[in-house]
Amino acid sequence: MTATTAQSAPSDDTESTYARACRLIETELGGRRLAPEPRTWLDDLAHTRRHKTAFITAVWNTCFPSSVAEACWVVEAVYPHLNPDGRCTDAALTAAWNILEPNAGTWPEQLQNERRRFTNNCVTRALAEANTAVADHA
């Protein structure tokens, strides 16, 4: 008995190893792909950069920082405190509060509470916008 390999289409050099293996399995066994190509560390890095850029833009548009640099500082301070699903935690909101309102300790308590709620709403809304922007362009 002789085994032959059916070639469905010529292989091009831009096709990934994963895609070539899937094509061979599809051709030889009549199978189909159940999962997309695995992500690489470079894909994750690109996704993180897109998300941070969208988050900076959203912070700039919704939280009223004093400068774009301050919006960047907010994102860098908040990012390590996001939960695994990319949602705000209390630590993330506190980090944003400390950058956006550095002199809040001198304010009356009622004003601090009002401004903190406002800041929390702004950061939460900015994060939701960033998540949506990245999901829409994935």
Side-chain angles (χ1 to χ4, degrees):
M1 182 178 205
T2 307
T4 61
T5 301
Q7 192 72 15
S8 62
S11 174
D12 62 33
D13 291 335
T14 61
E15 187 177 44
S16 72
T17 304
Y18 179 81
R20 280 193 300 270
C22 287
R23 187 174 40 78
L24 179 63
I25 290 170
E26 290 167 354
T27 302
E28 292 290 323
L29 303 175
R32 61 188 174 110
R33 293 179 202 194
L34 297 178
E37 187 166 353
R39 291 177 58 101
T40 65
W41 67 271
L42 195 57
D43 295 333
D44 291 335
L45 180 64
H47 180 268
T48 300
R49 284 186 176 168
R50 278 193 312 274
H51 187 262
K52 279 187 173 183
T53 302
F55 193 18
I56 290 167
T57 302
V59 166
W60 173 250
N61 291 331
T62 62
C63 296
F64 311 107
S66 61
S67 65
V68 175
E70 189 174 69
C72 293
W73 297 333
V74 168
V75 170
E76 288 301 322
V78 166
Y79 224 79
H81 301 291
L82 298 178
N83 73 10
D85 297 325
R87 305 276 184 234
C88 274
T89 62
D90 288 336
L93 296 171
T94 299
W97 169 255
N98 290 336
I99 291 173
L100 291 170
E101 304 292 354
N103 299 324
T106 61
W107 300 348
E109 188 175 338
Q110 182 180 358
L111 180 60
Q112 285 184 38
N113 291 337
E114 289 172 10
R115 290 294 299 170
R116 187 170 179 101
R117 276 193 303 275
F118 176 77
T119 300
N120 291 353
N121 289 339
C122 288
V123 171
T124 303
R125 187 173 48 239
L127 185 59
E129 287 179 23
N131 291 342
T132 302
V134 171
D136 288 348
H137 294 90

